[in-house]
Amino acid sequence: MKMGIKTYTFLRKIHLYASLSTVALLLMYLVTSYMMIYHSWFSSNDNQEQVLSVKVDPSEVSDDNWELFRNKHSIKGRQTREYLTESGDLYREYVGAGSNFKITIFDEKNEVKIKSVKRSLAGTIIGFHRLRGYGGPLQYNIYALLLDAVGLSLILFAITGVILWLKLLKNNKIAWTILISGFVYVSLIIGYLLFV
């Protein structure tokens, strides 16, 4: 593979910066994965649950005043679900890294039931691992954008790594064996996870 010194230096910089940009979030995923696997060691299930029934006027929970109601009752997070139950009650769920809120707005009772779950420190750390997708307050969109940037960085890191690998080792059979073995290993793992 023929490559000029400028191209080689440019690819090395992309490879370096792509790896540096992923380190922090990959480290977070490594730590939180370990905590999820050994959750009993970290007391991640020590959550504080609370159920609160609130008498309301229907105007308090209307779409126009819903944000005021949320602020008044400290309902935080991003809305993940909303639907009408069979009895006509409105159900909403808000999820954050450190808390969950399940809200039922009863149809004709002028009452709202708020079930909140506050996670422990370990549960909150694991909650960051589970956050995904766009939508909701600004911080959730920034976090999703960071995750997308890490994904792009990982792709660039892999592509530039293979190019640099081939440039340095050229026709080395051991290098080709290691490279192909890596692709075979990853393909087998993906195939196993898809079909099992």
Side-chain angles (χ1 to χ4, degrees):
M1 173 181 272
K2 291 187 178 181
M3 184 185 306
I5 191 70
K6 287 184 179 179
T7 306
Y8 179 76
T9 305
F10 179 70
L11 286 174
R12 278 187 63 187
K13 285 183 180 178
I14 291 175
H15 190 71
L16 174 66
Y17 296 140
S19 67
L20 291 176
S21 66
T22 62
V23 167
L25 280 173
L26 284 178
L27 186 61
M28 182 272 295
Y29 273 108
L30 179 71
V31 170
T32 55
S33 296
Y34 187 82
M35 291 176 74
M36 289 170 76
I37 292 167
Y38 299 103
H39 59 88
S40 61
W41 294 3
F42 296 99
S43 304
S44 60
N45 294 328
D46 294 345
N47 301 325
Q48 295 176 353
E49 293 188 19
Q50 181 181 16
V51 178
L52 181 67
S53 291
V54 180
K55 296 289 184 187
V56 293
D57 186 79
S59 64
E60 289 181 73
V61 291
S62 67
D63 289 341
D64 294 336
N65 295 324
W66 180 245
E67 288 304 313
L68 291 172
F69 182 83
R70 279 186 61 194
N71 291 334
K72 180 180 177 182
H73 296 283
S74 302
I75 299 169
K76 298 177 182 173
R78 177 178 57 189
Q79 184 176 342
T80 55
R81 281 206 259 173
E82 178 180 81
Y83 60 87
L84 286 172
T85 63
E86 291 180 7
S87 58
D89 303 329
L90 181 61
Y91 175 86
R92 289 179 174 153
E93 189 170 338
Y94 290 84
V95 176
S99 60
N100 281 7
F101 293 89
K102 297 177 180 177
I103 300 132
T104 306
I105 303 169
F106 294 104
D107 185 30
E108 294 178 4
K109 296 181 184 174
N110 296 337
E111 184 181 357
V112 176
K113 183 174 92 174
I114 304 169
K115 181 181 179 184
S116 62
V117 176
K118 303 275 185 185
R119 294 190 185 103
S120 63
L121 176 61
T124 300
I125 293 170
I126 290 171
F128 280 106
H129 186 102
R130 293 186 171 135
L131 285 180
R132 62 188 179 279
Y134 290 92
L138 179 63
Q139 64 267 29
Y140 291 91
N141 291 320
I142 291 172
Y143 187 75
L145 185 65
L146 286 173
L147 292 180
D148 284 348
V150 167
L152 182 61
S153 294
L154 284 171
I155 291 168
L156 287 173
F157 179 75
I159 291 170
T160 55
V162 168
I163 293 169
L164 293 173
W165 176 275
L166 294 175
K167 170 66 178 164
L168 285 174
L169 300 174
K170 296 181 182 167
N171 295 321
N172 187 326
K173 290 180 183 176
I174 295 173
W176 276 99
T177 304
I178 292 171
L179 182 65
I180 292 169
S181 298
F183 279 112
V184 169
Y185 173 73
V186 169
S187 299
L188 288 173
I189 294 296
I190 291 173
Y192 175 77
L193 293 174
L194 285 174
F195 297 111
V196 172

